[in-house]
Amino acid sequence: MKQRIYFNEVATRDGFQIEPAFIATDTKVALVDALSECGYAKIEVTSFTSPKAIPMLRDADEVMGRIRRVPGVEYTVLVPNLRGAERALEAQADELNLVMSTSETHNLANLRMPMVRSFAALSEVIQLVDGRTPINVSLSCCFGCPMEGDVPLEGVLAWVERFADQGVRGVTICDTTGMAHPAQVGRMVEALQQRFSQLQLTLHFHNTRGMGLANVLAAVQDGITRFDGSLGGLGGCPYAPGASGNISSEDAIHMLDAMGYNTGMDLPKLLAIARQMPDIVGHEVPGQVAKAGRIQDLHPAPAFVAELREQFA
């Protein structure tokens, strides 16, 4: 058996937040409860942000209060500011996920403030939490910005170091707009592991240009063991023209399972849930394996094949 790979599911936060039609609270709770039985390391349940900013997640407190927590699964939430952190602590989230961009233009577009102010605001959250709950920081646009272009590797590493110095448990390196390619991923992963072996490192890929699974494989082969994924491939960045969603959790897990990696996931159970996603969101979703089945899911031969076998025997 090859290396154990851990998956974090982000559909109920990152995937749902840009959907136009509100998804019922009961549906969200039922989905998190079902996903909890599939073998995930973490589930990003929701975001404690302003209901005006993200109406889809206005039921964050209720969802967190109603989900059934399974031992071994961490229930994480996105936190944008001090008030969000207070709500997350009250909800007994297992991890707080903080977000800022490594591109100034994207940070201004997405968070409405320069990077320096974002860092200061997130630092206040880290100080407030004061080690009571693990903190992860997700850094957006680490592989490129659709408005600025290249984001220098050293710049990304400098932001990781700033947060590592504040004692965060983990950092997620995000290809927010699907600009990464496998060679670039290899360089990023090598540098991260050399300098930040103490951090829980996670990679977050989008499939905007069809390289999502290739990037996962490149990262795995270079030693990364944690990945975000979104059921059905839901999600996307509103500030990347033509951007599609995150990598499909079930597609990435299927690929790694087929290659002999231990994902710890119950893929048949996960696929059964993934096949419900079009009904939940009201439209088709990008995931492929839920439609085609696993490579080992064989089909009966056409009836005429038996006759041909006899004919040519």
Side-chain angles (χ1 to χ4, degrees), residues 159-304:
W159 284 113
V160 175
E161 186 165 21
R162 289 185 181 99
F163 284 109
D165 288 345
Q166 295 201 38
V168 301
R169 177 177 69 169
V171 172
T172 300
I173 303 298
C174 303
D175 181 27
T176 312
T177 58
M179 296 174 71
H181 58 77
Q184 185 185 21
V185 170
R187 293 191 291 270
M188 175 74 74
V189 166
E190 181 181 8
L192 286 167
Q193 292 183 124
Q194 286 179 351
R195 291 174 56 171
F196 305 107
S197 60
Q198 80 279 18
L199 290 178
Q200 187 181 90
L201 296 171
T202 303
L203 272 290
H204 176 111
F205 292 115
H206 285 238
N207 199 42
T208 306
R209 292 168 178 83
M211 290 188 279
L213 294 193
N215 289 330
V216 169
L217 184 56
V220 166
Q221 291 176 334
D222 282 324
I224 294 297
T225 61
R226 291 183 178 271
F227 294 89
D228 286 349
S230 182
L231 199 66
L234 290 179
C237 176
Y239 303 105
S244 59
N246 298 270
I247 58 164
S248 163
S249 298
E250 64 272 21
D251 290 359
I253 291 162
H254 173 261
M255 176 186 73
L256 294 173
D257 278 358
M259 295 179 69
Y261 290 95
N262 174 18
T263 64
M265 297 292 298
D266 187 332
L267 185 55
K269 186 177 290 186
L270 185 64
L271 288 172
I273 302 168
R275 292 183 178 115
Q276 301 172 23
M277 294 307 287
D279 290 335
I280 289 175
V281 297
H283 59 78
E284 282 299 309
V285 298
Q288 296 297 306
V289 178
K291 301 168 187 173
R294 300 173 301 167
I295 55 177
Q296 64 264 47
D297 294 336
L298 305 182
H299 304 275
F304 65 82

Side-chain angles (χ1 to χ4, degrees), residues 44 94 98 105 111 136 147 169 176 199 205 216 236 241 264 279 290:
E44 189 178 44
D94 295 319
L98 315 183
T105 305
L111 300 176
N136 183 81
M147 294 163 282
R169 177 177 69 169
T176 312
L199 290 178
F205 292 115
V216 169
D279 290 335

Side-chain angles (χ1 to χ4, degrees), residues 13-293:
R13 197 283 297 175
D14 195 351
F16 281 178
Q17 70 178 10
I18 65 169
E19 290 294 323
F22 185 75
I23 296 168
T25 303
D26 287 350
T27 301
K28 292 171 184 166
V29 172
L31 181 57
V32 172
D33 286 350
L35 292 171
S36 294
E37 301 293 338
C38 291
Y40 281 105
K42 300 179 186 179
I43 298 174
E44 189 178 44
V45 178
T46 188
S47 174
F48 283 104
T49 189
S50 165
K52 293 181 180 179
I54 306 180
M56 174 63 80
L57 304 180
R58 62 179 182 262
D59 54 0
D61 298 276
E62 183 178 356
V63 171
M64 282 296 289
R66 289 177 53 191
I67 58 172
R68 179 175 48 81
R69 304 195 184 201
V70 172
V73 182
E74 289 191 2
Y75 298 90
T76 182
V77 297
L78 187 143
V79 169
N81 51 36
L82 286 173
R83 176 56 189 142
E86 291 168 349
R87 291 171 61 196
L89 292 172
E90 290 170 6
Q92 297 184 322
D94 295 319
E95 179 187 72
L96 275 58
N97 186 29
L98 315 183
V99 177
M100 66 168 283
S101 183
T102 57
S103 156
E104 184 77 348
T105 305
H106 183 266
N107 208 72
L108 288 166
N110 190 43
L111 300 176
R112 304 294 194 270
M113 66 180 76
M115 292 187 292
V116 171
R117 285 193 60 184
S118 282
F119 179 72
L122 298 184
S123 297
E124 290 181 352
V125 171
I126 294 169
Q127 292 167 17
L128 170 73
V129 174
D130 193 28
R132 287 177 287 171
T133 301
I135 289 179
N136 183 81
V137 177
S138 291
L139 295 173
S140 304
C141 290
C142 291
F143 297 93
C145 171
M147 294 163 282
E148 290 186 8
D150 181 53
V151 173
L153 173 58
E154 284 302 319
V156 174
L157 298 176
W159 284 113
V160 175
E161 186 165 21
R162 289 185 181 99
F163 284 109
D165 288 345
Q166 295 201 38
V168 301
R169 177 177 69 169
V171 172
T172 300
I173 303 298
C174 303
D175 181 27
T176 312
T177 58
M179 296 174 71
H181 58 77
Q184 185 185 21
V185 170
R187 293 191 291 270
M188 175 74 74
V189 166
E190 181 181 8
L192 286 167
Q193 292 183 124
Q194 286 179 351
R195 291 174 56 171
F196 305 107
S197 60
Q198 80 279 18
L199 290 178
Q200 187 181 90
L201 296 171
T202 303
L203 272 290
H204 176 111
F205 292 115
H206 285 238
N207 199 42
T208 306
R209 292 168 178 83
M211 290 188 279
L213 294 193
N215 289 330
V216 169
L217 184 56
V220 166
Q221 291 176 334
D222 282 324
I224 294 297
T225 61
R226 291 183 178 271
F227 294 89
D228 286 349
S230 182
L231 199 66
L234 290 179
C237 176
Y239 303 105
S244 59
N246 298 270
I247 58 164
S248 163
S249 298
E250 64 272 21
D251 290 359
I253 291 162
H254 173 261
M255 176 186 73
L256 294 173
D257 278 358
M259 295 179 69
Y261 290 95
N262 174 18
T263 64
M265 297 292 298
D266 187 332
L267 185 55
K269 186 177 290 186
L270 185 64
L271 288 172
I273 302 168
R275 292 183 178 115
Q276 301 172 23
M277 294 307 287
D279 290 335
I280 289 175
V281 297
H283 59 78
E284 282 299 309
V285 298
Q288 296 297 306
V289 178
K291 301 168 187 173

